[in-house]
Amino acid sequence: MKILKFGGTSVGSIESLKALKKVVENNLLQKNKIILVVSAMGGVTNNLLKMAEEAVNGTDFSLALADLEKRHFAVVKELVPLQQQNQVITKLKLYFQELEDILQGITSLKELSIKTKDMVLSFGEKSAALMISRILGPVFENTEFLDASQIIKTDSSFGNAKVNFGQTNLLIQDYFSQHQNHLIVATGFIASDNENRITTLGRGGSDYTAAILGAALNVSQIEIWTDVNGMMTADPRRVKKAFSMEELSYTEAMELSFFGAKVIYPPTMIPAFLKKIPIVIKNTFEPDFAGTFIKHDLKPSNTTIRGISSVDHISIINIEGSGMVGKAGFSGRLFSLLSREQVNVILITQSSSEHSITFAVNPDDAVKAKVLIEQEFELELLAGKLEPVKVENNLSILAIVGENMKKTPGISGKLFYSLGRNGVNVVAIAQGSSEYNISVIIYNSDLSKALNAVHDAFFAELQKTLNVFMVGVGNIGKELLSQIKGHKDFLAKNNLINIQILGLSNSRKMLVDAEGIDLNNWQQSLEQSSAEANLEGFINQMKTLNLPNCVFIDNTASPYPSKFYKQAFEANISVVTCNKIANSAEYAQFADLKETAQKHGVDFYYETNVGAGLPIIKTLNDLMISGDKISKIEAILSGTISFIFNNFKGDANFHDVVKLAQEKGFTEPDPRDDLGGVDFMRKMLILARNAGFALEANDVKLGAIIPDAAAKAASVADFYKELQNENKYFEKLKNDAEASGKVLRYIGKLENGKVEISLQSVGADHPFYALSGSDNIIAFTTDRYNETQMVVKGPGAGAAVTAAGVFADLVKVGASKA
Ligand SMILES: NC(=O)c1ccc[n+]([C@@H]2O[C@H](COP(=O)([O-])OP(=O)(O)OC[C@H]3O[C@@H](n4cnc5c(N)ncnc54)[C@H](O)[C@@H]3O)[C@@H](O)[C@H]2O)c1
Ligand SMILES: N[C@@H](CCO)C(=O)O
Ligand code: NA
C-alpha cells in the first residue's frame, strides 16, 4: 500500500487535476493499493486567511467568498461527470454556507482566535478532498471522501496541534480496515481535539497527515506529489546547473530543508522516518521523472556533499563583551528569552574565547530580538560588561549538506577556497559537530555567485563554467573566438570546463548577454547591438553581474583596458591578455597589478606578451620559482622583424615585405611599433621584470632598425611612403651583411640587469643565424643552465599561435582548484 499526497499546486487547476487523475489511473492499472491525501487548492489557504481577516476588520468578504465558490464549481463542471455535478455542488454549497456563517460570526464578535482560524482553514482541505473524490469516481467505483480530522486526534494547541498518536493510530487502523476495498481521498492538514474542535497540524501539515497515515498503516512508500522534479542540489532559480538528487537520507533531507528547500518540510516526516518508510518526491506534471527518494540504505555516493541550501534573507545579531566570558548561564538566559518570546533562531556561532555570540534570525524578528536583549541585559549593558547589541541586515545563509562530509577532510577547505577566490566575504561560520552541515553567512548580494561557485566546486562531475568578458575582437580576438567555438565541446567533455562568452566589445560596439553569446553569429549580434562601446560601462556590467569564475580578456592594443585590470582583480575577476601595455608601462603599475591579483587569489596571465604562444613567460617563471638565477637572456622577439629579414632577399622590396608581414597578421595594429622597436622593447622589459629587475622603459637601450624619418612618420600611410623612399638604405644593409656571409638580426639582451636591443649582422656560427619565417628564439643563461643554455624557439607572431596562447591561459584559469 502507498500513500500519495498531492500538494496545492497539484490540485490547484483543471490541468493539474487532470494530471492527478492520470497518476491515479496509472497506479490502479498497476494494481497498486493507494490512499490519497490532498491539500487545499493552491492559493485557497491564503484566501481563507484573508477572508477571516477581512471579516474581523468588518470589511466585505463576500467577493472573495464568491471567488472561492467559483473556483471550485468551475472544476466540478469540467471534471465531475454530469449526472453527479449537482450532488457535489450541493455539498460544496453547504460547506461554503457554513464558512459564511463562521465569517459572519467573526464580524459580529470582532474577534478572530487561532481556534476560529483553524476552523476557517479546514474548508480549503475539505472542499478539495470532497471534489477530488468525485472526480475520481469514474476511475474507481468505491471512491470515498474522508474528512481526516475525524481520525487524527490532537491536543488543543490550535494552529500547530500535537498529535495524540495512541488514539490516532487506532482510529486510522480501524477506519481503513473497514474501507479495505475503497479508494480513500483524505484531507491533509486538519485534525480535531478531544472536544471534536478542528485543529491544524502547522507548517507542512498535509505532508504530516501523509506520514501519520503511512506510519499507522505501515505502508511501503509515501509519495509527495508536487510541481518540481524532486529535491535539487541547490536553489534552481539561482543555480542553473542544479539537478535533482536521486536519493538522500532523512538526515540530509532534514538539514537541506532546514534552510531553504521548500519541497517538503521534513520534521513532518518523522513518523515515516521512524518506521523507515521511504518517501519519494514526485512531479505531478512530469510523472515519468523517477523522483527523489528519501530513505535509509542509500547507494554509495560519488560526491562528498549532497546539496547546498540557502536562506535568502536573514539578519544577524551580535553580542559581545567581557560580561559573557565564563558565565555559564549567559547563553541560557539569552536563548530562553528568545524562545519564550517566539524569536526563531536560525543559526548560532560563538567564538571560543566566549567573548561574542552571533546568531541569525528572520529580518522581521531582528528589531524585536534587539529590544528584548537590551531589556534583559540592561544592567550588563549599563555596566559596560556588554557592548551595544549590533544588528546586521541584508545577509544570507549558504549551507553545504551531506552525510559523506563526516570525517572527510578537505571539505571546508574547498568551500572556503571557492568562496574566497570569488571574492565572497564570509561574515560568520557555523558547523555542527555532527559534520553534516557547514553554514556560512554572506552578503545577500553575493548569494547567487557563491551558490554557483560552491556548486561548481563540489559537483566535480559537472562542468565548471568560465564566465568570459572580452574586449578586442580584431585579428587576435576574432581568431580566439573561432578557436573557442571549435574546441568548446572538447573542453566541456574532457576538461569539464564550459566556456561562456557573456560580453564582447570592440572600439565601436559592445554586447553583454548574461545568458551567453552564441558564437555562431557573434559578429552579427555585436554589429546589431544597440550599445555603443563604453569600456567603463562594460566593466561595470561585468562587475554587477557578480558571477563566479569570471575572466576579463583584453585583446586590444589600447592602453585603455589596462586601466581596469586592477578593478577586475578587486572584484575577484581574473585577467588574461595579449596586450603588452599594462605590463610595460610604469614598473609600479606592473608590480601593483601582480600584487592585487595575488591578494585577491585570482589569476593574471599574459603568456602571449612575449613570443605569442611560445612558452616563454611560463618557462621564465618556472626557472624563478625553482630558485634559479637568470644571468643572461638573449632573444629575438619580434616575429615581424624576423619575417622581414627572412624574406627580404633577392630582388624583394623592403616596403613590400613589411606590407606582407602586416597582411599575415604578424605586426602590431600599428606596424611602426614593430619597426620602431617599441614592441620588442616592451617584451624585453616584461621579461626583465619577470626575471626580478625593476626596470623602466627608458632603461632599455634601443638601437634603431629604420631611419628616423620612417620611424617618426606621422601616420601609418606616411610610414609606408617613407619605406618606399628608403629601399636603397635597406638594400645596402642587406648587401653588406651578405657580402661577409652574414644575416641581419635584431637581437635583445638582458645581462647584469641591463637591457639593450640592437641590429646586428651575425655569421653562421651564431646560434641565431638559422632562423626562418616569423620565428622567435630566446636563450636563457642561468645558474643551472650555464654551459648549455635553455632555448625556446618557434613562430612568435600570427593570429593562430597568439590566440592559442590566450586560449591556453584562459583554460588555465578554469583549471584552478575552485
Ligand atoms: N599579432 C600578433 O602576432 C600578436 C602576438 C602577441 C600579442 N599580440 C597583441 O594582440 C593585441 C591585438 O592585436 P590585433 O592584431 O588583434 O589588433 P586589432 O587592431 O586587429 O584588434 C584590436 C581590437 O581591439 C578593439 N579595441 C581597440 N581599442 C579598444 C577599446 N578602447 N575598447 C574596446 N575595444 C577596443 C578594436 O576594435 C579591435 O576589435 C595587441 O595588443 C597585440 O600586441 C599580437
Ligand atoms: N607584432 C608582434 C606580435 C607578437 O607579439 C611581433 O611581430 O612580434
Ligand atoms: Na609566450
Side-chain angles (χ1 to χ4, degrees):
M1 189 151 55
K2 295 195 298 184
I3 308 257
L4 275 56
K5 178 254 162 177
F6 291 89
T9 50
S10 298
V11 300
S13 67
I14 291 170
E15 285 318 302
S16 57
L17 284 164
K18 281 183 181 164
L20 174 150
K21 195 170 154 197
K22 272 230 173 70
V23 171
V24 172
E25 280 168 346
N26 281 340
N27 270 285
L28 296 176
L29 265 178
Q30 291 167 34
K31 306 253 180 296
N32 292 333
K33 273 214 75 152
I34 55 173
I35 298 168
L36 266 58
V37 173
V38 301
S39 301
M41 292 180 79
V44 163
T45 301
N46 277 341
N47 290 344
L48 288 167
L49 272 179
K50 220 175 101 207
M51 278 184 240
E53 258 134 41
E54 279 167 352
V56 76
N57 294 332
T59 8
D60 182 19
F61 54 78
S62 60
L63 273 182
L65 186 60
D67 266 356
L68 188 75
E69 290 190 9
K70 254 194 251 156
R71 247 188 103 182
H72 286 83
F73 294 166
V75 170
V76 173
K77 290 201 172 114
E78 180 77 23
L79 298 176
V80 174
L82 195 60
Q83 61 277 27
Q84 283 158 37
Q85 286 185 4
N86 275 344
Q87 193 202 358
V88 187
I89 289 186
T90 310
K91 289 213 166 167
L92 286 174
K93 276 195 171 149
L94 285 176
Y95 277 155
F96 296 135
Q97 185 56 56
E98 209 181 316
L99 172 63
E100 187 175 356
D101 292 349
I102 295 168
L103 292 169
Q104 247 142 25
I106 295 173
T107 303
S108 22
L109 289 173
K110 294 195 175 53
E111 188 191 287
L112 175 61
S113 62
I114 315 178
K115 183 170 88 186
T116 315
K117 250 187 210 168
D118 279 359
M119 195 145 58
V120 169
L121 292 184
S122 71
F123 287 95
E125 266 67 21
K126 286 198 293 196
S127 329
L130 171 74
M131 196 171 74
I132 293 167
S133 71
R134 295 303 189 269
I135 294 173
L136 294 176
V139 178
F140 192 84
E141 213 188 312
N142 281 338
T143 302
E144 194 93 9
F145 157 63
L146 166 64
D147 174 355
S149 68
Q150 298 311 302
I151 56 171
I152 298 180
K153 301 304 282 184
T154 65
D155 67 3
S156 303
S157 351
F158 297 96
N160 194 4
K162 280 201 182 55
V163 175
N164 176 346
F165 277 99
Q167 202 185 351
T168 299
N169 286 344
L170 287 176
L171 284 169
I172 293 173
Q173 284 151 6
D174 186 44
Y175 177 86
F176 281 93
S177 70
Q178 288 178 41
H179 291 82
Q180 295 209 19
N181 297 318
H182 290 74
L183 170 60
I184 301 300
V185 182
T187 53
F189 185 54
I190 57 174
S192 63
D193 71 358
N194 270 338
E195 289 166 55
N196 268 334
R197 295 175 300 188
I198 292 283
T199 57
T200 57
L201 298 174
R203 182 177 162 195
S206 294
D207 291 347
Y208 197 25
T209 303
I212 294 166
L213 295 182
L217 299 169
N218 248 323
V219 299
S220 60
Q221 184 161 307
I222 297 174
E223 296 178 357
I224 306 291
W225 289 81
T226 171
D227 61 345
V228 291
N229 277 350
M231 303 255 286
M232 310 281 279
T233 48
D235 183 344
R237 288 164 306 176
R238 291 191 186 263
V239 180
K240 283 210 198 94
K241 283 190 240 168
F243 58 94
S244 307
M245 298 174 218
E246 215 179 306
E247 51 176 41
L248 66 162
S249 71
Y250 287 97
T251 312
E252 289 168 336
M254 208 74 108
E255 293 281 351
L256 276 169
S257 33
F258 181 57
F259 297 148
K262 296 286 181 311
V263 182
I264 57 161
Y265 182 54
T268 59
M269 291 292 150
I270 286 172
F273 165 60
L274 293 175
K275 289 223 159 164
K276 302 196 174 179
I277 300 171
I279 294 155
V280 197
I281 319 284
K282 299 273 293 177
N283 188 348
T284 308
F285 307 94
E286 230 184 289
D288 291 338
F289 161 70
T292 296
F293 283 75
I294 304 172
K295 55 178 200 167
H296 291 269
D297 304 326
L298 304 178
K299 294 189 285 211
S301 157
N302 51 0
T303 57
T304 43
I305 70 165
R306 188 70 72 179
I308 309 164
S309 65
S310 50
V311 189
D312 283 23
H313 294 285
I314 56 137
S315 298
I316 59 172
I317 297 180
N318 184 53
I319 308 175
E320 59 182 275
S322 58
M324 290 162 54
V325 182
K327 288 267 157 45
F330 184 87
S331 50
R333 245 173 95 197
L334 172 65
F335 292 112
S336 31
L337 164 75
L338 296 171
S339 126
R340 201 166 59 234
E341 301 292 337
Q342 314 245 337
V343 174
N344 179 33
V345 175
I346 303 175
L347 171 156
I348 305 169
T349 77
Q350 180 178 17
S351 69
S352 57
S353 66
E354 299 180 47
H355 196 72
S356 77
I357 292 184
T358 300
F359 61 91
V361 295
N362 286 322
D364 294 345
D365 286 340
V367 173
K368 175 175 164 191
K370 179 172 187 272
V371 172
L372 285 169
I373 295 164
E374 283 164 354
Q375 287 165 353
E376 172 78 24
F377 296 98
E378 196 184 354
L379 292 180
E380 286 86 345
L381 282 161
L382 276 176
K385 287 184 177 167
L386 283 186
E387 303 289 320
V389 180
K390 276 191 291 236
V391 177
E392 211 176 324
N393 297 310
N394 300 324
L395 297 168
S396 298
I397 297 179
L398 176 155
I400 54 170
V401 168
E403 291 203 64
N404 270 359
M405 284 165 59
K406 198 176 170 69
K407 303 211 163 70
T408 311
I411 296 189
S412 57
K414 205 174 202 173
L415 171 68
F416 292 111
Y417 181 73
S418 65
L419 292 173
R421 185 176 156 93
N422 285 294
V424 177
N425 181 46
V426 175
V427 179
I429 305 168
Q431 176 185 313
S433 57
S434 64
E435 297 184 51
Y436 297 150
N437 173 327
I438 304 175
S439 303
V440 293
I441 295 178
I442 59 181
Y443 296 115
N444 180 256
S445 53
D446 281 335
L447 182 60
S448 281
K449 174 163 83 170
L451 280 169
N452 281 286
V454 173
H455 199 271
D456 271 2
F458 279 98
F459 295 104
E461 73 275 25
L462 295 178
Q463 298 153 13
K464 168 176 181 174
T465 299
L466 286 181
N467 294 302
V468 179
F469 293 79
M470 187 187 293
V471 289
V473 289
N475 183 24
I476 306 299
K478 196 196 289 175
E479 168 68 17
L480 175 59
L481 286 168
S482 137
Q483 290 185 6
I484 291 175
K485 184 184 142 205
H487 202 56
K488 215 168 145 12
D489 292 348
F490 177 93
L491 281 176
K493 191 156 167 262
N494 297 287
N495 302 64
L496 299 176
I497 291 174
N498 172 32
I499 299 183
Q500 272 220 93
I501 310 289
L502 304 186
L504 285 178
S505 176
N506 56 24
S507 45
R508 290 173 300 110
K509 290 281 178 107
M510 66 180 195
L511 173 66
V512 174
D513 184 348
E515 298 295 312
I517 296 167
D518 181 359
L519 292 189
N520 290 308
N521 47 22
W522 66 265
Q523 266 160 307
Q524 205 184 349
S525 313
L526 181 61
E527 233 9 82
Q528 287 168 356
S529 167
S530 55
E532 302 288 313
N534 163 7
L535 199 50
E536 198 169 352
F538 187 81
I539 300 281
N540 281 339
Q541 286 191 62
M542 170 173 81
K543 292 200 311 197
T544 310
L545 279 169
N546 201 14
L547 298 166
N549 307 317
C550 188
V551 189
F552 177 64
I553 302 186
D554 173 11
N555 292 322
T556 73
S558 155
Y560 192 33
S562 62
K563 304 263 177 290
F564 297 95
Y565 293 1
K566 185 167 176 164
Q567 279 188 41
F569 296 142
E570 285 167 345
N572 286 79
I573 296 167
S574 294
V575 174
V576 170
T577 183
C578 57
N579 186 343
K580 297 147 200 146
I581 304 262
N583 289 332
S584 58
E586 300 75 48
Y587 179 81
Q589 172 179 316
F590 166 81
D592 185 39
L593 287 177
K594 293 211 97 169
E595 196 188 307
T596 312
Q598 196 170 32
K599 185 169 142 208
H600 289 268
V602 288
D603 296 319
F604 180 28
Y605 292 138
Y606 45 84
E607 177 57 78
T608 49
N609 274 191
V610 182
L614 296 178
I616 292 177
I617 302 286
K618 176 189 169 354
T619 304
L620 175 56
N621 283 343
D622 285 353
L623 291 171
M624 298 293 294
I625 56 176
S626 59
D628 208 346
K629 265 219 172 60
I630 312 293
S631 43
K632 190 158 80 172
I633 294 177
E634 288 163 292
I636 288 180
L637 294 175
S638 173
T640 299
I641 296 171
S642 268
F643 178 84
I644 292 169
F645 289 145
N646 289 326
N647 288 276
F648 183 44
K649 285 180 186 145
D651 41 346
N653 171 300
F654 191 80
H655 163 278
D656 296 347
V657 182
V658 176
K659 255 273 138 73
L660 187 60
Q662 180 161 27
E663 278 158 25
K664 287 189 171 287
F666 299 145
T667 71
E668 292 305 290
D670 183 339
R672 288 172 297 177
D673 287 348
D674 298 291
L675 277 293
V678 174
D679 180 69
F680 201 152
M681 180 279 288
R682 288 181 176 144
K683 290 167 178 164
M684 286 305 291
L685 195 56
I686 294 169
L687 279 179
R689 288 175 175 178
N690 280 281
F693 302 102
L695 298 185
E696 298 293 350
N698 55 18
D699 295 327
V700 178
K701 220 172 123 197
L702 185 63
I705 328 172
I706 51 174
D708 249 18
K712 296 196 174 131
S715 68
V716 176
D718 288 350
F719 163 76
Y720 275 113
K721 240 182 250 154
E722 288 296 335
L723 289 189
Q724 288 284 26
N725 302 335
E726 302 285 359
N727 207 38
K728 287 238 159 58
Y729 167 84
F730 294 112
E731 284 281 336
K732 183 176 175 339
L733 274 182
K734 181 183 72 175
N735 292 339
D736 288 354
E738 270 174 8
S740 48
K742 295 183 171 176
V743 289
L744 291 172
R745 295 286 180 252
Y746 197 42
I747 300 176
K749 186 168 81 177
L750 164 67
E751 195 170 20
N752 300 323
K754 295 219 156 35
V755 179
E756 80 183 279
I757 303 170
S758 58
L759 185 62
Q760 302 174 22
S761 325
V762 301
D765 55 335
H766 194 283
F768 292 178
Y769 177 86
L771 215 57
S772 61
S774 62
D775 279 3
N776 281 195
I777 184 164
I778 181 161
F780 295 100
T781 311
T782 74
D783 283 2
R784 292 180 191 138
Y785 292 90
N786 201 343
E787 270 159 33
T788 310
Q789 297 164 317
M790 179 191 270
V791 176
V792 180
K793 176 180 165 231
V801 291
T802 307
V806 179
F807 195 1
D809 276 352
L810 173 63
V811 175
K812 236 163 98 185
V813 177
S816 67
K817 291 174 287 304

